């Protein structure tokens, strides 16, 4: 190890697409814009996106991340993360006299709307997703009486519904496409009349990143995925890479987490990143690899992406004034709620 020039036979396959999706880009810019327009602090309920570096960088600029709405002092501005929130969280913010900015990805909002519609038609909704994930908590909160969570094929045996002719499945946006289809097949076997969501709930970005890593995994000995441990879509890339044939695959937040030992006997390294990962972190991984003889980089392109989302409309309002008015109207000392 440690050669400073390109070594014969050593190469890097770089996935495309990788990194930021439209929903993450929008959410991160929304925090930055809010800080510019209204000044610090801007509270953010939950990590705006599941990435350590993004959170640390925004904290330095004046964002304060909290897990519960009740932690935000009355009269403040609070932003909801890209993963979405349950309606009850909007009520908490109103009770807490907070001005809100909703950075929920429009593709998560789409799933919320599907849940509301099917619950309105009195369907039993089987939500495929990972227990405890913020997005699943938010979506379930739209219709808790109608939704039950199915966390993988292993959960199917325990699913009971009121009327097997009125059942629909929906899903978290950031799941493994293949594993979800396994779960759906098992559900269909149990409930032959199960209906599918009107359009894909697993978002375009999740699907495209998995397609690229699949192609890469067929050729790479090792696949390094840049992403944080709590990032569902990033973790799925590690699983997909291994299933596609990579001998090993690891998730790292930063280049310095890569272990030299992972390179033993490796000639092709695949590199990709989750939807919440800034490109600078990938560049650092590529530099780390280049310093060890992996200088040749080939792009593995699985799809082209051009989608963008407009910023949350609340950013057009004077939220400092609104927050102050909320406190003045209903009284409040500015101290946090119990
Ligand atoms: O949902 P996941 O854990 O993959 O979140 P993330 O912040 O890593 O990625 C972007 C999103 C959403 C919603
Ligand atoms: Fe939206 Fe998909 Fe990005 Fe999540 S991963 S923020 S659902 S585009």
């Amino acid at each position: 190890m440690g050669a400073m020039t390109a070594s014969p036979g050593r190469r890097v396959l770089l996935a495309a697409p990788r990194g930021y999706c439209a929903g993450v880009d929008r959410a991160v810019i929304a925090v930055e814009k809010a800080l510019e327009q209204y000044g610090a602090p801007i509270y953010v309920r939950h990590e705006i996106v599941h990435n350590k570096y993004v959170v640390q960088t925004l904290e330095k600029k004046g964002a304060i991340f909290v897990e519960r709405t009740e932690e935000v002092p009355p009269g403040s501005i609070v932003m909801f993360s890209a993963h979405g929130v349950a309606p009850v969280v909007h009520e908490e913010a109103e009770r807490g006299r907070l001005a809100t900015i909703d950075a929920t990805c429009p593709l998560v909002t789409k799933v919320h709307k599907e849940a509301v519609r099917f619950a309105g038609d009195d369907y039993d909704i089987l939500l495929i997703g990972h227990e405890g994930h913020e997005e699943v908590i938010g979506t379930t909160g739209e219709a808790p009486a109608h939704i039950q969570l199915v966390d993988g094929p292993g959960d199917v045996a325990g699913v009971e519904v009121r009327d097997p002719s009125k059942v629909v499945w929906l899903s978290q946006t950031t799941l493994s496409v293949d594993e979800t289809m396994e779960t759906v097949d098992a559900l269909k076997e149990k409930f032959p009349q199960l209906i599918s969501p009107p359009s894909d709930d697993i978002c375009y970005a999740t699907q495209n990143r998995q397609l690229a890593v699949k192609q890469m995994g067929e050729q790479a000995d090792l696949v390094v995925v840049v992403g944080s441990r709590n990032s569902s879509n990033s973790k799925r890339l590690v699983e997909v890479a291994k299933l596609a044939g990579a001998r090993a695959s690891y998730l790292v937040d930063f280049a310095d987490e890569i272990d030299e030992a992972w390179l033993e006997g490796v000639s092709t390294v695949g590199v990709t990143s989750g939807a919440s990962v800034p490109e600078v972190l990938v560049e650092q991984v590529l530099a780390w690899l280049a310093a060890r003889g992996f200088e040749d980089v080939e792009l593995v392109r699985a799809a082209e992406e051009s989608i963008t989302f407009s910023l949350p409309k609340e950013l057009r309002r004077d939220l400092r004034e609104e927050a102050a008015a909320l406190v003045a109207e209903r009284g409040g000392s500015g101290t946090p709620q119990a």
Side-chain angles (χ1 to χ4, degrees):
M1 293 305 131
M4 296 304 289
T5 52
S7 309
R10 286 186 186 173
R11 61 173 184 158
V12 172
L13 301 178
L14 181 60
R18 63 180 177 281
Y20 271 22
C21 59
V24 164
D25 196 43
R26 168 184 190 260
V28 173
I29 294 174
V31 180
E32 289 167 350
K33 282 251 184 267
L35 284 164
E36 268 169 45
Q37 281 180 35
Y38 310 119
I42 297 292
Y43 288 83
V44 184
R45 188 184 176 282
H46 194 68
E47 292 188 352
I48 185 74
V49 297
H50 291 149
N51 186 266
K52 218 184 244 185
Y53 175 85
V54 169
V55 168
Q56 285 169 188
T57 308
L58 292 173
E59 265 171 351
K60 282 185 204 139
K61 293 184 182 173
I64 298 177
F65 292 89
V66 298
E67 280 309 310
R68 295 164 53 248
T69 320
E70 289 76 12
E71 294 170 58
V72 184
S76 308
I77 299 174
V78 65
M79 189 173 311
F80 299 137
S81 81
H83 317 93
V85 293
V88 68
V89 174
H90 287 277
E91 290 160 23
E92 288 166 8
E94 205 186 323
R95 273 202 306 279
R97 286 157 283 154
L98 307 175
T100 60
I101 305 171
D102 191 353
T104 304
C105 176
L107 299 180
V108 173
T109 303
K110 187 194 83 173
V111 182
H112 281 225
K113 286 185 178 154
E114 287 169 351
V116 169
R117 180 161 74 81
F118 284 109
D121 291 341
D122 206 25
Y123 274 78
D124 274 16
I125 300 168
L126 307 179
L127 178 65
I128 305 176
H130 296 298
E131 186 156 19
H133 189 280
E134 196 64 18
E135 182 184 323
V136 157
I137 295 169
T139 306
T140 305
E142 291 286 358
H146 286 84
I147 299 182
Q148 55 182 308
L149 184 68
V150 183
D151 190 349
D155 267 8
V156 173
V159 177
E160 301 289 344
V161 298
R162 293 169 302 160
D163 175 359
S165 71
K166 260 192 124 172
V167 194
V168 60
W169 70 272
L170 299 178
S171 89
Q172 189 179 330
T173 56
T174 51
L175 301 181
S176 148
V177 174
D178 293 338
E179 195 193 79
T180 303
M181 286 310 133
E182 268 177 53
T183 309
V184 171
D185 288 345
L187 285 170
K188 278 195 174 143
E189 207 152 292
K190 188 162 175 176
F191 308 111
Q193 297 180 76
L194 178 74
I195 64 166
S196 299
S199 65
D200 285 351
D201 285 346
I202 300 182
C203 74
Y204 80 97
T206 299
Q207 293 188 236
N208 289 343
R209 279 150 194 70
Q210 285 174 22
L211 272 181
V213 87
K214 234 184 213 183
Q215 282 182 28
M216 217 163 70
E218 289 164 9
Q219 306 171 62
D221 308 302
L222 164 73
V223 173
V224 176
V225 178
V226 188
S228 291
R229 309 226 79 78
N230 59 344
S231 167
S232 169
N233 80 87
S234 306
K235 283 199 292 193
R236 302 293 83 81
L237 295 175
V238 171
E239 294 168 3
V240 173
K242 286 195 215 160
L243 286 170
R247 257 194 288 142
S249 179
Y250 300 98
L251 188 64
V252 297
D253 260 299
F254 301 102
D256 64 10
E257 290 172 15
I258 305 175
D259 187 338
E260 304 260 355
W262 298 348
L263 296 178
E264 268 165 41
V266 164
S267 57
T268 302
V269 181
V271 175
T272 188
S273 56
S276 44
V277 180
E279 188 60 9
V280 62
L281 302 177
V282 173
E283 284 161 11
Q284 287 165 6
V285 166
L286 294 177
W288 189 97
L289 288 167
R292 286 152 183 88
F294 291 85
E295 280 188 318
D296 293 335
V297 179
E298 276 172 45
L299 210 59
V300 175
R301 181 171 289 285
E304 301 278 349
E305 291 178 348
S306 55
I307 182 167
T308 57
F309 295 128
S310 54
L311 289 173
K313 56 184 182 325
E314 300 93 313
L315 286 167
R316 288 185 230 134
R317 308 209 304 249
D318 187 344
L319 293 182
R320 283 282 173 229
E321 198 169 281
E322 282 181 29
L326 283 171
V327 173
E329 262 169 37
R330 287 190 267 154
S333 59
T335 49
Q337 292 172 280

